[in-house]
Amino acid sequence: MITIEKLTEKAISLLKNLIETQSFSSEEEQTAALIEAWFIEFKIPFQRTKNNVWATNKYFDDSKPTLLLNSHHDTVKPNSAYTNDPFKAFVEDGKLYGLGSNDAGGCLVSLIATFTNFYAQENLKYNLVIVASAEEESSGPNGLNSMLSIIPHVDVAIVGEPTLMNLAVAEKGLVVFDAVVKGTPSHAAHPNNNNSIYNAIEVLQWFKDFKFEKTSNALGDVKMTVTQINAGKQHNVVPAHVDLVVDVRVNDAYSNQEIADILQEQSPCTEIKPRSLRLNSSSISTDHDLVKAGIIMGRETYGSPTLSDQSVLTCQSLKLGPGDSTRSHSANEFIYVSEIEEGIQIYIELLNRVII
């Protein structure tokens, strides 16, 4: 049986190969092949659906609940401020540098190693299914969301994203709204008491001041931010409308539909429409065995403001992984090698406490 130390060594080697292989969202063919090669090496049967690679444990039993282990192998495009080669994996001062090292390559290889550790064990309390998914960064149609009707039914999930191996027991959802403030178009030289740009002042103030009533113990308040504004094409023409984009981070006290209903009923915009309602908030009960085991191990709990593939799951889910979210999408992205080593150890200990 392969040791955890050897699994860790191979996981770090896999991460280096993933870093050096371009895998922007929807372009993950080559990194999917690298992940396939891992399963081939360890003689683990797997399936590939587009660029999603997945497998189940050897003694999968339909009568048992199923735990999903998931992280993604796509990346954003490199930040323009990079001074390193983003596709060159190298270690300096204990830091493994490269695009996708922290988000979420370290999590992915740690979960793959963890799954491999448990793959052939008998009499587990939970089935295991692992999905190395695509298109997470773009919330695309061919990522984890497309796999939920293909893989076995999932009862609970661990989603690998950088959390410093603390327990993100809830995650905010996201709804992006397109809003319109209308007025009367005219020549700038003539009187106009219905200037759409001036009308937008009151609307912007409304968005700045509005508070959603329900708060969350884990996630706090709903956060609403106007992030884009566009109006006018010529200096001497009062535009007919001002277009706004509104970013709403939804706590677990509201559904996305409820947020949309509130804004459509109460906002002073002429029009306001959600682009999508599918990126929901998510959470796991603090009484769940995964959370209780993590707390016993000394891991802290918190609510995460950032979005992940948890948003497409309807089951309870826990966000947990090595690395630090503040490094994600940054220039000269890195993860500490020690974080990967610790991540694999903690994942395995956590599952030992829950599924053995």
Side-chain angles (χ1 to χ4, degrees):
M1 182 177 176
I2 190 167
T3 64
I4 294 175
E5 290 75 20
K6 190 66 175 177
L7 274 174
T8 302
E9 178 185 320
K10 286 186 168 292
I12 293 169
S13 177
L14 173 60
L15 177 54
K16 291 176 179 177
N17 289 335
L18 291 171
I19 289 168
E20 296 190 344
T21 306
Q22 180 178 305
S23 57
F24 302 147
S25 292
S26 306
E27 301 175 14
E28 311 96 344
E29 294 87 355
Q30 294 181 68
T31 47
L34 292 173
I35 295 162
E36 287 180 319
W38 172 288
F39 290 123
I40 291 168
E41 177 182 353
F42 286 99
K43 298 180 172 58
I44 296 174
F46 66 91
Q47 297 187 58
R48 176 169 169 176
T49 305
K50 295 190 176 176
N51 292 329
N52 303 281
V53 183
W54 65 281
T56 59
N57 63 301
K58 185 174 183 179
Y59 297 102
F60 191 96
D61 181 345
D62 287 331
S63 69
K64 296 178 179 180
T66 296
L67 168 61
L68 168 66
L69 306 178
N70 163 251
S71 191
H72 63 95
H73 58 104
D74 64 315
T75 72
V76 295
K77 293 186 177 179
N79 187 304
S80 61
Y82 260 88
T83 57
N84 301 331
D85 180 349
F87 300 106
K88 176 66 175 176
F90 66 97
V91 177
E92 185 176 282
D93 297 328
K95 301 174 182 177
L96 172 54
Y97 286 91
L99 182 65
S101 55
N102 182 78
D103 183 17
C107 301
L108 176 64
V109 300
S110 297
L111 283 172
I112 290 174
T114 300
F115 173 83
T116 303
N117 178 76
F118 288 101
Y119 166 72
Q121 293 193 36
E122 297 185 61
N123 302 315
L124 299 178
K125 295 177 182 176
Y126 281 78
N127 299 311
L128 294 178
V129 56
I130 187 164
V131 179
S133 54
E135 295 192 3
E136 189 273 347
E137 295 290 3
S138 62
S139 298
N142 298 314
L144 179 63
N145 54 312
S146 71
M147 298 301 298
L148 300 179
S149 62
I150 296 171
I151 63 175
H153 171 78
V154 175
D155 296 281
V156 67
I158 296 175
V159 175
E161 291 284 343
T163 70
L164 294 170
M165 291 309 291
N166 288 315
L167 312 170
V169 296
E171 173 187 276
K172 283 188 173 179
L174 170 65
V175 188
V176 178
F177 290 88
D178 291 299
V180 178
V181 181
K182 289 187 176 180
T184 301
S186 70
H187 193 294
H190 300 305
N192 186 342
N193 293 322
N194 191 32
N195 183 317
S196 62
I197 293 177
Y198 294 161
N199 293 345
I201 296 172
E202 179 182 342
V203 174
L204 291 170
Q205 190 66 48
W206 185 89
F207 279 113
K208 181 180 179 182
D209 294 341
F210 185 82
K211 302 293 183 187
F212 291 90
E213 291 180 0
K214 292 188 283 188
T215 191
S216 161
N217 289 334
L219 294 171
D221 295 332
V222 174
K223 187 176 188 299
M224 181 163 63
T225 310
V226 178
T227 56
Q228 292 176 258
I229 184 168
N230 185 55
K233 297 184 185 307
Q234 295 177 229
H235 77 90
N236 58 351
V237 177
V238 175
H241 57 87
V242 175
D243 297 318
L244 307 176
V245 176
V246 185
D247 178 295
V248 184
R249 303 291 165 151
V250 185
N251 66 22
D252 53 349
Y254 292 91
S255 70
N256 287 356
Q257 184 63 60
E258 287 174 320
I259 294 294
D261 291 343
I262 289 168
L263 292 185
Q264 288 174 335
E265 290 170 7
Q266 299 186 34
S267 81
C269 299
T270 312
E271 300 172 12
I272 184 165
K273 295 179 181 178
R275 293 181 180 177
S276 168
L277 296 174
R278 68 183 181 87
L279 301 176
N280 294 288
S281 61
S282 54
S283 63
I284 186 170
S285 169
T286 52
D287 290 328
H288 195 283
D289 287 344
L290 283 171
V291 179
K292 290 194 290 187
I295 291 171
I296 289 171
M297 292 166 59
R299 313 318 297 177
E300 296 180 0
T301 62
Y302 74 104
S304 172
T306 57
L307 199 69
S308 75
D309 268 338
Q310 280 185 285
S311 64
V312 304
L313 297 172
T314 56
C315 64
Q316 294 193 83
S317 57
L318 174 67
K319 187 193 295 186
L320 174 68
D324 186 338
S325 178
T326 62
R327 300 182 207 134
S328 300
H329 305 182
S330 64
N332 301 336
E333 181 183 349
F334 71 89
I335 188 169
Y336 286 99
V337 173
S338 62
E339 290 177 325
I340 300 171
E341 295 167 344
E342 179 192 47
I344 293 171
Q345 291 171 353
I346 291 174
Y347 277 144
I348 289 175
E349 182 183 348
L350 181 71
L351 293 193
N352 273 330
R353 291 173 179 268
V354 175
I355 71 173
I356 298 297

